[in-house]
Amino acid sequence: MKYLLRIIISEKAGTYQLADYKWLEQFLWKNGFSGLTVRRSEMNLNYQNKRRISILEDQQFNDLSLIVETIDSGQRIMSVLQEIKDNLKHGQISIIKGMEEKDMSTHDHFAVKVYTKEENSWFRKEEYEKVIDFFQEKNAIWTSMTKGIVGYGKDHVIHKQKLFARSEQTPIVIECVISSENLDELLQGLDSVVEEGAIFTTPIHLIANK
């Protein structure tokens, strides 16, 4: 059983003189987590209920919220959870349980998240484009793609978002909602579409779809 550990923190808050996300990146890497993606919000309300918006050229000084996500076993996540709680100055921590076989018959919709990276090449079709095309073929609902600012995968090589770098491998998150009747077919084919990355699925209650 896999779980999604999701942490939302302030970009400028620091731990041990490091930005919290940099500390988390190093901490989870050292503790053997198989992957990590950090994404920056464009607008948010912080822990003081103050609005932050992306208006400055140097993103870090906007003090926006960062979304840190990693997928691993419940045992590994619980083994580090207390230390994360003790060392984060401000933030929100949540754990999302992955799909079990019994969920297939008890839920109507599921969220599917794909964590991969952008192979910034002139001639190669991007990984995320192939995944989005596949989601479209399988009648996924409201598919979206967002870029991370830093992340690593099973190779434990840390990739960062860089301007004007044709060799960059920017972390990517592609997510959608899928109905239960289409889920099995989507998951069976998705494993062959995603050449490198992690796939996470969890049951949800779809409240509206307009």
Side-chain angles (χ1 to χ4, degrees), residues 52-66:
R52 293 286 183 264
I53 186 170
S54 179
I55 55 175
L56 299 175
E57 185 174 349
D58 192 330
Q59 289 275 14
Q60 185 173 352
F61 290 100
N62 292 315
D63 194 18
L64 295 161
S65 290
L66 299 179

Side-chain angles (χ1 to χ4, degrees), residues 109-196:
H109 293 89
F110 295 80
V112 179
K113 297 169 74 80
V114 176
Y115 298 85
T116 184
K117 60 187 178 183
E118 179 181 26
E119 299 282 1
N120 207 343
S121 167
W122 288 106
F123 303 107
R124 184 177 182 276
K125 189 171 185 179
E126 301 293 2
E127 182 89 345
Y128 71 85
E129 289 183 295
K130 293 190 297 182
V131 175
I132 290 174
D133 289 345
F134 182 74
F135 280 175
Q136 186 177 26
E137 292 172 9
K138 302 303 178 183
N139 299 311
I141 305 168
W142 282 101
T143 297
S144 64
M145 183 277 284
T146 53
K147 291 187 177 184
I149 60 172
V150 65
Y152 67 85
K154 64 180 180 180
D155 58 3
H156 263 213
V157 175
I158 294 174
H159 301 288
K160 298 181 180 181
Q161 191 179 73
K162 300 175 183 177
L163 289 174
F164 312 118
R166 294 306 306 173
S167 61
E168 68 175 307
Q169 295 184 324
T170 306
I172 296 289
V173 181
I174 309 148
E175 47 197 318
C176 74
V177 171
I178 190 80
S179 64
S180 57
E181 57 263 31
N182 293 324
L183 176 65
D184 191 52
E185 185 179 355
L186 181 138
L187 292 180
Q188 286 183 18
L190 189 57
D191 189 53
S192 61
V193 174
V194 179
E195 296 179 12
E196 182 178 352

Side-chain angles (χ1 to χ4, degrees), residues 43-53 63 65:
M43 179 186 292
N44 63 269
L45 299 173
N46 66 9
Y47 66 95
Q48 297 173 318
N49 208 30
K50 293 182 179 179
R51 183 180 303 223
R52 293 286 183 264
I53 186 170
D63 194 18
S65 290

Side-chain angles (χ1 to χ4, degrees), residues 3-7 24 28 33 36 68-72 77 80-81 84 93-96 115 200:
Y3 291 79
L4 173 64
L5 174 62
R6 178 181 171 91
I7 305 169
L24 277 167
L28 295 173
F33 279 75
L36 170 78
V68 182
E69 292 181 328
T70 184
I71 300 169
D72 219 301
I77 289 173
V80 300
L81 196 56
I84 293 174
I93 302 172
S94 59
I95 300 172
I96 302 169
Y115 298 85
F200 182 80

Side-chain angles (χ1 to χ4, degrees), residues 91-106:
Q92 179 189 95
I93 302 172
S94 59
I95 300 172
I96 302 169
K97 186 178 181 180
M99 185 189 73
E100 296 182 272
E101 188 174 347
K102 64 181 181 180
D103 294 326
M104 293 282 288
S105 59
T106 57

